[in-house]
Amino acid sequence: MLKNYFKTAFRNLVRNPVVSFITIFGFSLGLSFTILLAIFISNELSYDQFHSNKKTLYRITGIGTDDKGNVFKSGNTKAIIAPLFTGEIAAIKKSCRIDGSTTLIKKDNDVISATVTEADSSFFDLFSFKLLQGNKATVLRSPNEAIITDETALKIFGSLNVIGKVIEVEKGNEFIPFRISGVVSKPSNTSTIFFDLLLPLHHSAADQSPEQLESSWVNTFVLTNEKVNTNTIAEGLTKRYNNYMAKRQQAGSLIRYTYYMQPITDMHLNEEF
């Protein structure tokens, strides 16, 4: 029976070659498009799914309003939010601020452009990047240490045996030396957080002053307890921040913020912030 079906199909193909070609080509094109679309959608939905804490990991976002009614949306927060207010909210277990940029790094006379991300020492407590060398409990605590990705280590040193070696990072008009204390796997292509080199955030004493923390902007992430009301957390942050800033600024220059909690898995596809 099956053999007869094939014979009939073959005869129809031979008898109507143009129609057969159009039918087969159209079917193949449609099937290929469907497969590519499915791969694309699967890839887009996979962003940041590798974090073990993904269900309780959020970025703090904000909408600001000035005295003239102008509205500003931001995925960043003032750097003062995490050290001053997150510890006062019991539902928040830990926080981590990160700030990334593209800059120059060098070893001896070799200079390359790289993505350098500065982060708090809690970085590996929140995010599931694989630390290949180094102690998760102590990295990013010393002001002049760095963590390098395996790919960048091989590119610069030709080896992964780089603990204790020194690399220089462009800061302003000079290169600052950092000692390598860890090696991490290169972030995957489905990570919204990407880096070639990790440095401690605000590694100088001047960067820790209230004035500097109030004027600098960072991405602030928090790890919460399970089954918490994130709206309540956001309301608590909003109240604390606005009360603090109202005491330090003139009313006419104050931009009041309403804060929100954005799941990390929502960051890639949500363009609002």
Side-chain angles (χ1 to χ4, degrees), residues 175-220:
F175 281 88
I176 308 293
F178 288 85
R179 182 182 61 83
I180 297 174
S181 61
V183 179
V184 62
S185 290
K186 174 187 174 183
S188 72
N189 293 330
T190 56
S191 173
T192 52
I193 299 173
F194 186 84
F195 53 87
D196 298 305
L197 195 70
L198 278 174
L199 303 180
L201 182 69
H202 300 311
H203 45 273
S204 71
D207 289 338
Q208 297 288 3
S209 67
E211 291 76 18
Q212 182 63 26
L213 293 177
E214 289 169 15
S215 62
S216 62
W217 292 80
V218 295
N219 278 278
T220 301

